[in-house]
Amino acid sequence: MTANENDLQTLFRFFNEIGIVAQLSANAFEKVMPAGMTLPQFVVLNHLVRLGDGRTPLSIAQAMQVTKGAMTNTLGHLEGKQFITIAPDPHDGRSKRVSLTQEGRVARDAAIEALGPELRGIAGEIAMPGIIKALPAVESLRKVMDTRRNPKA
């Protein structure tokens, strides 16, 4: 299927709006995060809740599309807060595995809870049926883009 010029303009407008929403929502979220948690730290905790423990630092860095060094820094902060543990991989001594602690799960849940008033305010100002209707399209777009970032050779 070939995209026409209108499709390209529509996609650009769509991505532009997503970018603005991402910036605004990140700022709103960081304002209410508990315990000095940063957005990158929350994203890692949320990733571990969604996909499970036992991920390598490199796989988390790739999922977040950041350098291994940046991820090492974020994981170090999370480990210092006792939100995660980092242990040697039992099958590969050169690698490590990251696991969420109960404290990390509680911190992640507290961050989401802290965002509640902002989300309730937005829900009161926007037509939720439109959001519900748009969600499958946004999820589909995420899946397409996720597969395109690491194409199989």
Side-chain angles (χ1 to χ4, degrees):
M1 183 162 75
T2 304
N4 63 38
E5 192 59 35
N6 277 345
D7 292 341
L8 300 179
Q9 289 176 6
T10 299
L11 276 174
F12 177 80
R13 284 184 53 215
F14 186 76
F15 284 124
N16 190 55
E17 292 298 327
I18 287 174
I20 294 167
V21 168
Q23 181 69 35
L24 292 169
S25 61
N27 286 337
F29 204 65
E30 282 206 334
K31 286 179 186 176
V32 300
M33 281 208 222
M37 186 185 306
T38 65
L39 187 57
Q41 291 169 7
F42 170 80
V43 169
V44 169
L45 295 178
N46 197 54
H47 180 76
L48 292 171
V49 166
R50 283 184 342 116
L51 300 178
D53 288 332
R55 311 255 167 231
T56 65
L58 180 59
S59 73
I60 298 170
Q62 289 170 336
M64 304 298 138
Q65 295 190 296
V66 299
T67 65
K68 188 176 177 196
M71 184 53 57
T72 298
N73 184 45
T74 299
L75 293 175
H77 287 290
L78 290 170
E79 188 176 37
K81 294 176 182 180
Q82 300 181 337
F83 292 167
I84 62 166
T85 59
I86 302 173
D89 185 324
H91 305 294
D92 178 359
R94 299 169 297 159
S95 189
K96 296 181 188 273
R97 297 290 171 166
V98 179
S99 295
L100 188 65
T101 64
Q102 184 57 34
E103 292 89 346
R105 186 174 300 278
V106 168
R108 179 256 189 189
D109 292 347
I112 293 172
E113 181 69 27
L115 192 57
E118 181 71 12
L119 293 176
R120 280 189 280 285
I122 292 168
E125 294 181 35
I126 194 164
M128 286 306 296
I131 297 295
I132 293 165
K133 185 177 179 183
L135 195 53
V138 174
E139 288 170 340
S140 177
L141 176 62
R142 180 207 21 99
K143 289 174 185 173
V144 166
M145 293 187 72
D146 198 34
T147 60
R148 292 180 58 80
R149 73 183 165 120
N150 291 320
K152 305 286 187 265

